[in-house]
Amino acid sequence: MFPSTQRTYETNIRLPLSFILFGVVAFVASEAILLFSGTSLVQGAFRIPAVWGAIHLAVLGWALMVAMGAMYQLVPVVFLTPIWNETLGFVQFFITTLGVLALSISFLLEMKFVFFAGLLLTLGFVLFFLQMVMTLKNQPIKNMMTLFVSTALFCLLLTVFLGMALSFHFFSGSEIADHLLMLKTHLLFGLTGWFTLLIIGFSYKMVPMFSLAHGFSMTLARYVYTIYVGGLAITFFSFLTNHSTLFTGGMGLLFLGFSLFSYHITTILRKRVKKKLDRPFLFALFAIAIALCLHAIAFLFAVVGNTASFGVMIYGYLFGWIILSIIGYLYKIVPFLWWTHRYSKKIGKENVPTLKQMINEKWIVFSFGLFLVSLIGVILALVISNLPLFYIAQSGMIAFSLLLAGTIISVLWK
Amino acid sequence: MILDNRGLEPPQPMMRTLAALETLPKGETLTIINDRRPMFLYEQLDELGYLYETKESEDGSFEITITKG
């Protein structure tokens, strides 16, 4: 692992890079599959195998794989502790990749096999969970970020086990517990639990880092955590008791918690030294604004009792908040990773490119525009049930995913 | 002037370095010792027009000598 004299905790670049490369390719594949599910999607039919296949490929193969790769890179930097076992990391990568591929194929071909693919995937996630827990345990000084990330990891584990149970229902034809209850909880803990708490936790480090902010207070983070996690708990109880007032309360707390987080981020940004912020980083900040709006809309929908629109909301949340944040930080992480791998030994000896030269910012801005326009197009198409618009907008998404994959992979040629 | 940034949480090393550079007279050098190669610092130094040289030490840390142009 790490000799006692070594103070640097840099992860072997192949580990995060493997996750990221698989992720961008999975993204292209998932967007293509979604295109073919157009007729079902515009009719509001989300709960069909082909759509599950595409969504799980997007969520697990793209978003989650990239998140895991980023964590292998960033956890040592943010938490000042090395990855517990890199070999385990590679093993986990292979198991998870196989699991994701098996799961996606099963959704598309034979629902019963989803259960077995799910078992493999669960093993992969349990290994990841173990890796991160053992890594975070060794963190010298624990802080609010440790709390956010640990809670996020716990939510991931719950989400995965619920997913397993759901797939068991399809395999066995019998229910362990109420299917709808488990499905709603699966979505809640996966999207608002795992992904959101993870992004919030890491944002508290990424935002000061990329804006060079210092001298700000972290006190608000405690309230963000308490209120947001409280909202998660209340929402879960509303599912358990089928209580719509509790659900509204839960959505309200989540909105309040996220509003506080958004406000806290603006206070951090006010203390920044770097005046002009990088475009990719601006995307990640924009994603926070989108999430804030979505939390508000979710609360409003709950108040008026509109639960039918939650399908489209969830789609918007996944792409406009989670995936957009990931893309923003990915455009910063990949050049950094590759530069360190290719040029870090060369600096001072030859003409080495700067970080900025590793990736074309003009393409990034164009791709961001393409993503946003396509996303709005898809959401509109789903809301008004317009198939031609869906095909056009989704084609835009596919083009974006190809551009993203191309841009990320092109870094490896620099 | 020598600045030891080892053991500090990001972005402390970069913040300290930039602050020290601000008060440094023109033509003078600042040497910093970091746990990791300061990738984002290089970007800022390029933007500010400062010259720098990086040396990897035996214990895995990095020594960067910055000259205020």
Side-chain angles (χ1 to χ4, degrees):
Chain A
M1 263 166 265
F2 286 86
S4 51
T5 50
Q6 192 172 329
R7 302 258 295 269
T8 58
Y9 300 142
E10 286 177 0
T11 314
N12 177 347
I13 193 204
R14 285 189 180 81
L15 189 52
L17 211 57
S18 308
F19 281 95
I20 291 167
L21 289 175
F22 179 82
V24 294
V25 174
F27 186 34
V28 177
S30 65
E31 291 306 307
I33 298 170
L34 275 175
L35 182 78
F36 292 111
S37 308
T39 22
S40 314
L41 287 169
V42 295
Q43 286 167 39
F46 298 129
R47 294 178 65 182
I48 56 165
V51 177
W52 285 327
I55 289 295
H56 281 84
L57 189 56
V59 175
L60 302 176
W62 153 238
L64 189 44
M65 289 294 273
V66 170
M68 292 194 287
M71 279 181 78
Y72 275 113
Q73 173 64 20
L74 292 174
V75 162
V77 174
V78 172
F79 297 102
L80 300 176
T81 182
I83 292 297
W84 182 58
N85 189 320
E86 277 188 4
T87 312
L88 178 66
F90 283 105
V91 169
Q92 188 250 311
F93 168 72
F94 282 116
I95 293 177
T96 312
T97 310
L98 280 170
V100 167
L101 289 170
L103 191 79
S104 308
I105 294 168
S106 304
F107 271 121
L108 296 171
L109 297 178
E110 177 56 70
M111 274 305 292
K112 281 198 178 349
F113 292 159
V114 171
F115 177 64
F116 297 108
L119 282 171
L120 192 59
L121 208 51
T122 304
L123 175 62
F125 292 140
V126 166
L127 290 177
F128 177 72
F129 179 80
L130 174 70
Q131 173 85 271
M132 287 300 154
V133 163
M134 295 307 287
T135 301
L136 289 176
K137 250 181 63 173
N138 292 331
Q139 186 190 8
I141 303 168
K142 298 188 175 43
N143 51 32
M144 279 310 298
M145 284 170 281
T146 328
L147 190 55
F148 273 106
V149 175
S150 312
T151 312
L153 284 165
F154 180 67
C155 287
L156 174 66
L157 211 60
L158 281 175
T159 308
V160 169
F161 286 141
L162 283 165
M164 272 309 305
L166 289 167
S167 70
F168 181 73
H169 291 182
F170 287 104
F171 172 72
S172 66
S174 59
E175 283 190 356
I176 299 173
D178 178 57
H179 191 90
L180 195 57
L181 164 65
M182 295 184 100
L183 175 62
K184 282 152 71 168
T185 312
H186 175 75
L187 288 166
L188 179 73
F189 282 132
L191 299 174
T192 30
W194 157 244
F195 275 117
T196 303
L197 289 175
L198 185 75
I199 298 171
I200 291 178
F202 271 95
S203 295
Y204 275 128
K205 183 51 90 174
M206 297 291 110
V207 170
M209 259 177 83
F210 290 133
S211 65
L212 297 180
H214 68 311
F216 54 88
S217 163
M218 279 297 283
T219 314
L220 274 175
R222 287 178 221 173
Y223 295 99
V224 172
Y225 179 84
T226 314
I227 296 171
Y228 203 82
V229 174
L232 280 177
I234 302 268
T235 309
F236 169 63
F237 280 120
S238 80
F239 293 157
L240 211 55
T241 58
N242 225 347
H243 214 281
S244 60
T245 318
L246 260 180
F247 178 68
T248 309
M251 289 294 114
L253 279 176
L254 290 175
F255 174 46
L256 182 63
F258 202 86
S259 305
L260 206 56
F261 166 66
S262 308
Y263 171 70
H264 194 184
I265 291 295
T266 58
T267 65
I268 293 172
L269 285 171
R270 261 185 244 137
K271 294 264 185 178
R272 73 183 195 272
V273 170
K274 194 167 177 166
K275 289 302 158 198
K276 191 166 177 260
L277 299 171
D278 287 328
R279 297 269 163 47
F281 177 50
L282 283 170
F283 301 168
L285 292 177
F286 188 67
I288 296 178
I290 292 178
L292 183 62
C293 294
L294 289 171
H295 276 93
I297 294 169
F299 177 52
L300 264 139
F301 279 171
V303 167
V304 302
N306 177 354
T307 46
S309 307
F310 268 85
V312 183
M313 264 274 316
I314 287 166
Y315 175 85
Y317 196 81
L318 179 60
F319 282 85
W321 158 233
I322 295 168
I323 287 178
L324 186 57
S325 301
I326 288 171
I327 292 167
Y329 286 121
L330 199 60
Y331 274 135
K332 296 239 25 129
I333 291 168
V334 172
F336 175 90
L337 264 180
W338 191 245
W339 197 103
T340 311
H341 173 71
R342 270 298 292 271
Y343 298 107
S344 60
K345 297 268 181 260
K346 295 200 172 95
I347 194 158
K349 293 179 195 162
E350 346 175 334
N351 225 356
V352 299
T354 60
L355 264 184
K356 281 240 182 301
Q357 291 169 322
M358 301 290 292
I359 212 159
N360 191 326
E361 272 224 352
K362 285 203 181 71
W363 272 120
I364 293 179
V365 175
F366 170 72
S367 70
F368 172 60
L370 179 61
F371 177 81
L372 218 57
V373 167
S374 305
L375 179 62
I376 292 169
V378 170
I379 291 176
L380 196 62
L382 293 176
V383 167
I384 65 172
S385 299
N386 189 305
L387 193 57
L389 178 61
F390 175 78
Y391 281 141
I392 295 167
Q394 186 56 23
S395 301
M397 269 299 194
I398 295 173
F400 167 76
S401 68
L402 283 165
L403 195 57
L404 174 69
T407 312
I408 297 293
I409 292 168
S410 77
V411 171
L412 309 182
W413 261 263
K414 293 269 154 72
Chain B
M1 186 178 169
I2 296 178
L3 208 62
D4 192 344
N5 290 325
R6 287 175 293 187
L8 295 176
E9 266 187 65
Q12 292 280 71
M14 189 158 166
M15 305 296 305
R16 286 180 89 215
T17 307
L18 292 174
L21 283 171
E22 252 173 59
T23 58
L24 197 72
K26 216 171 171 181
E28 293 281 305
T29 60
L30 167 73
T31 305
I32 61 169
I33 311 169
N34 281 33
D35 283 318
R36 255 179 305 273
R37 225 172 276 274
M39 306 294 304
F40 297 110
L41 175 67
Y42 296 144
E43 263 193 338
Q44 281 292 110
L45 294 175
D46 285 335
E47 256 175 59
L48 294 162
Y50 297 170
L51 301 165
Y52 50 90
E53 254 183 59
T54 309
K55 211 174 68 186
E56 187 170 355
S57 310
E58 270 178 37
D59 65 353
S61 63
F62 295 88
E63 211 177 270
I64 301 110
T65 310
I66 309 163
T67 313
K68 193 164 179 174

